[in-house]
Amino acid sequence: MLRVLIADDQDLFRAGFGLILGAQPDMLVVGEAADGDEAIALAGRLRPDVVLMDVRMPGRNGIEATREICATTAAKVLVLTMFDLDEYVYDAVRAGASGFLLKDIRRDELAHAVRTVAAGDALLAPAATRRLLEDLVRRPAHGPMPRLAGRLEALTERERETLRLVARGLSNAEIAAVLVVTEHTVKTHVSRILTKLDLRDRVQAAVFAYECGLVVAGESDIGDHTHG
């Protein structure tokens, strides 16, 4: 049974998400929080598997709460936002969030997202995630950082190719098709990438790929890896 904590300052959103997730046979909503401080306290006490975290809340916001929860508990944080290009969401991902969702998500997508994050597969597939990263790395405050490129030397060429495709938002199955390898092989590559780069999950790997310049916003290199 997946234990879920919902953090949002709007009663209607908390109630709506609670009804949807509470109706799932494999989920239990263990608590609701109206601000970041309450979310941190409940996450520490209730030990949920997944926290649905609103970004903009009174007091300590969702970014600060995400950072604290990811640092002190094993919970996965799934950020919720009204905007698909929200700078705060990027900061939340860097704070340790495993992905983000728009609040207009369909109920079946919400349940799937919670299961995906709980399983350790960070939610990176939605095109909005890629748009978010591409938009933000163009801004001076989050521009590519060449000094990070040296860390890529720890990766093999195939691992670099895999990282590029992860950053493009492809699933393991899609990456396997592009690289003409098995899905198990892709999972192995991804695991080694996270270990070598000391990253929490696929979302942080994608952020790293953009920040170090391995992936350039607006370009598509998928077609370059259709062999080997």
Side-chain angles (χ1 to χ4, degrees):
M1 186 72 70
L2 296 178
R3 297 166 58 83
V4 183
L5 171 65
I6 301 172
D8 196 299
D9 62 336
Q10 297 186 46
D11 291 343
L12 285 178
F13 278 117
R14 291 200 308 276
F17 291 141
L19 285 173
I20 293 170
L21 298 180
Q24 303 300 312
D26 58 340
M27 296 183 193
L28 176 66
V29 177
V30 295
E32 298 181 4
D35 58 49
D37 289 311
E38 188 177 11
I40 293 169
L42 289 178
R45 187 168 81 245
L46 301 175
R47 298 291 171 176
D49 299 299
V50 177
V51 179
L52 291 185
M53 181 72 72
D54 188 21
V55 176
R56 300 177 180 179
M57 294 186 290
R60 199 181 306 197
N61 62 34
I63 299 168
E64 296 169 342
T66 294
R67 184 177 296 110
E68 181 73 15
I69 289 171
C70 289
T72 59
T73 77
K76 306 288 187 179
V77 176
L78 191 53
V79 173
L80 295 164
T81 178
M82 292 290 291
F83 311 101
D84 63 347
L85 292 178
D86 188 336
E87 188 167 2
Y88 295 107
V89 178
Y90 178 89
D91 292 333
V93 168
R94 295 200 66 187
S98 294
F100 82 97
L101 294 172
L102 302 183
K103 284 188 175 179
D104 61 359
I105 190 172
R106 298 197 310 267
R107 63 177 61 198
D108 58 321
E109 291 177 332
L110 176 63
H112 173 71
V114 170
R115 294 186 185 99
T116 297
V117 168
D121 296 325
L123 198 71
L124 189 61
T129 303
R130 177 175 168 182
R131 293 202 310 271
L132 172 78
L133 293 173
E134 290 194 349
D135 178 71
L136 290 168
V137 295
R138 290 190 180 100
R139 303 181 187 184
H142 296 297
M145 304 176 195
R147 63 182 176 78
L148 295 178
R151 293 172 61 185
L152 290 174
E153 295 177 2
L155 304 182
T156 65
E157 183 56 36
R158 181 45 61 96
E159 287 167 353
R160 292 189 194 192
E161 293 175 348
T162 302
L163 179 55
R164 287 190 190 97
L165 298 176
V166 166
R168 292 302 189 193
L170 274 66
S171 67
N172 285 346
E174 292 168 334
I175 294 173
V178 171
L179 299 182
V180 195
V181 297
T182 66
E183 191 170 345
H184 175 75
T185 297
V186 174
K187 290 180 180 178
T188 299
H189 287 327
V190 172
S191 177
R192 288 175 177 168
I193 289 167
L194 297 180
T195 298
K196 288 180 178 181
L197 298 179
D198 192 26
L199 300 171
R200 181 183 176 96
D201 53 38
R202 294 169 75 99
V203 173
Q204 289 198 341
V207 171
F208 176 87
Y210 279 99
E211 287 186 333
C212 74
L214 180 66
V215 176
V216 179
E219 292 184 1
S220 176
D221 53 4
I222 293 176
D224 296 337
H225 305 292
T226 55
H227 64 278

